[in-house]
Amino acid sequence: MAARDLFHESVKIALQKENWVITDDPLKVEAGGAKFEIDLGAERLLAAERAGEKIAVEIKTFLGDSPITDYHAALGQFLNYRLALEIKEPDRKLYLAVPVAVYEAFF
């Protein structure tokens, strides 16, 4: 198992406060012979539809020496995970959790 990001528990708690149930920590997905571990898998039951909403969350802290390098690594990882989920779990939506300053600077 890869090391957890510094903000892993904070993101997990924030999701739970928004009524998400953490189903996987990490969410393991295998597609095209490659194995991936996305930081969190979660779902929320939508009472009116009796169906659930499923998400996967990849957490990135951007604490490396180069924010540009961190951005490229996060983007590449996100794209790989998105493709794997499209193949194996197309009903699950992928999110990237980043600090607010990083979001404002890059996204």
Side-chain angles (χ1 to χ4, degrees):
M1 177 187 286
R4 290 185 171 183
D5 288 278
L6 180 64
F7 304 125
H8 185 95
E9 286 303 313
S10 297
V11 171
K12 187 174 175 178
I13 290 167
L15 287 168
Q16 290 169 329
K17 285 183 177 181
E18 291 296 319
N19 297 316
W20 288 96
V21 175
I22 304 301
T23 57
D24 301 276
D25 185 4
L27 173 64
K28 296 179 181 185
V29 179
E30 186 173 344
K35 296 179 181 179
F36 302 102
E37 288 190 2
I38 304 170
D39 289 320
L40 296 170
E43 62 182 56
R44 179 167 48 190
L45 193 62
L46 302 174
E49 299 175 12
R50 293 187 179 213
E53 183 180 8
K54 294 182 179 181
I55 62 171
V57 181
E58 180 61 19
I59 304 162
K60 293 295 172 201
T61 57
F62 281 70
L63 296 176
D65 291 335
S66 170
I68 295 293
T69 299
D70 290 344
Y71 170 76
H72 286 129
L75 179 61
Q77 197 171 17
F78 181 89
L79 293 173
N80 285 332
Y81 290 172
R82 187 173 69 181
L83 180 59
L85 286 173
E86 286 175 3
I87 294 168
K88 291 296 188 175
E89 295 192 44
D91 60 331
R92 191 179 295 271
K93 189 170 183 179
L94 179 62
Y95 288 92
L96 181 63
V98 298
V100 172
V102 171
Y103 177 80
E104 290 172 348
F106 290 98
F107 301 94

